[in-house]
Amino acid sequence: MNSSRFADRVVLATGTASGLGLAAARQFANEGASLVLVDRDEQSLRDVVVELSGMGANVVPVVGDVSRALTAQEAVRTALSQFGRLDVLFNNAGIDPLEATTLVETTEDLWDSIINVNVKSAYLFAKEAIPAMIATGGGAIVNTASSAGMRASAQEAAYGISKAAIIALTRSLARDFSAQGIRTNAICPGPLEAITTDRRATMSDEQKAARRERVSDLVPLGREGTYEEVAKSVLFLASSESSYTSGAALLIDGGLIA
Ligand SMILES: NC(=O)c1ccc[n+]([C@@H]2O[C@H](COP(=O)([O-])OP(=O)(O)OC[C@H]3O[C@@H](n4cnc5c(N)ncnc54)[C@H](O)[C@@H]3O)[C@@H](O)[C@H]2O)c1
């Protein structure tokens, strides 16, 4: 263990069965956190729990859909019953369906699921987590937005709108709860090493290769970001190293929209 910024800290993180959530969960575990991990992918989540427990971390899974109030309630209840407190909430689960292109092409069902999974979830989890954090003197919330929430990406309208809403939700929470010791910040990653699982599942190999090529042309740093690089910023915003930062939307995009 290199450092232990999260020793005695309890972290609740969503979307941790793969990608960014998994990379952040590994780093939190490596720095001494106790973890409640939420995902709808039961098998992969169980594999993650075995891996992190093997590192010596205290980890409890909650399997469920983050857009449902019951999942948020169960997750916060689990943090309190298993570990007695909640210090960090990482709202990270998200979807980016390939079929949801322009608003005209986006079906109402797709719109609802993108807004529910990407935005309503953060409202539900914050609503449950904040009273628990206030009870022990405060905490930190980190929300996963996207560079697409700052500058519209073509053919990805509802997703970009959901991520702009997450930035606004972050600022509202910072306004309303910083005085009670809860800092809320967002991360805005640019294109990462893999696109979200749901989007990847419907893309052809040619489409994936074209994306990689487009990214290396567009991003000033000339490549996609890694999940580990972005997770480091999540831990920074969740830790006391960022003690004067609340309401920020941190771009981690290789200079894409500079
Ligand atoms: N990959 C990128 O290029 C990129 C760029 C910017 C922002 N992001 C954002 O980062 C976050 C993580 O993305 P990722 O790349 O790690 O994708 P991912 O698909 O690897 O991980 C998302 C996780 O969330 C889970 N999940 C999805 N819907 C859920 C639901 N309704 N209930 C519970 N769990 C659910 C999935 O099972 C998965 O484990 C997302 O919010 C995404 O929008 C990703």
Side-chain angles (χ1 to χ4, degrees), residues 37-237:
L37 302 183
V38 184
D39 207 288
R40 65 179 174 191
D41 178 348
E42 180 166 7
Q43 187 51 52
S44 303
L45 186 63
R46 297 214 181 277
D47 293 345
V48 171
V49 170
V50 169
E51 178 195 326
L52 301 190
S53 303
M55 291 166 57
N58 295 315
V59 194
V60 184
V62 171
V63 177
D65 180 345
V66 291
S67 66
R68 300 198 54 222
L70 283 176
T71 310
Q73 288 158 5
E74 185 189 343
V76 172
R77 208 168 42 236
T78 300
L80 298 180
S81 64
Q82 297 284 317
F83 304 124
R85 56 187 293 129
L86 179 59
D87 301 289
V88 172
L89 169 63
F90 178 34
N91 281 315
N92 169 71
I95 55 170
D96 184 11
L98 189 61
E99 323 84 90
T101 55
T102 70
L103 280 186
V104 171
E105 304 293 336
T106 301
T107 63
E108 192 177 347
D109 281 351
L110 272 177
W111 168 271
D112 286 344
S113 67
I114 292 167
I115 298 299
N116 287 342
V117 175
N118 293 5
V119 186
K120 185 180 177 192
S121 61
Y123 147 68
L124 292 170
F125 276 75
K127 186 172 169 10
E128 296 301 321
I130 285 170
M133 289 177 168
I134 289 174
T136 49
I141 300 175
V142 182
N143 298 318
T144 300
S146 168
S147 57
M150 291 205 176
R151 189 188 69 176
S153 303
Q155 304 281 316
E156 220 176 346
Y159 178 76
I161 291 164
S162 76
K163 294 304 188 179
I166 279 291
I167 295 170
L169 180 147
T170 298
R171 291 176 176 149
S172 287
L173 291 177
R175 273 273 164 193
D176 288 339
F177 295 103
S178 292
Q180 285 157 284
I182 299 176
R183 297 180 303 102
T184 305
N185 294 289
I187 52 159
C188 300
L192 303 182
E193 56 188 300
I195 40 178
T196 53
T197 312
D198 66 309
R199 194 170 181 81
R200 194 161 66 232
T202 35
M203 271 175 108
S204 65
D205 288 345
E206 291 73 36
Q207 284 173 308
K208 285 182 216 158
R211 181 218 193 220
R212 183 153 292 131
E213 204 165 304
R214 207 168 51 245
V215 166
S216 45
D217 287 346
L218 286 176
V219 173
L221 280 176
R223 62 172 175 84
E224 296 161 313
T226 69
Y227 286 127
E228 280 69 28
E229 286 175 300
V230 178
K232 285 180 189 169
S233 294
V234 174
L235 269 76
F236 165 70
L237 291 171

Side-chain angles (χ1 to χ4, degrees), residues 10-35:
V10 178
V11 175
L12 193 177
T14 70
T16 48
S18 70
L20 176 59
L22 172 56
R26 284 181 175 136
Q27 292 183 17
F28 277 122
N30 195 41
E31 292 210 35
S34 297
L35 290 153

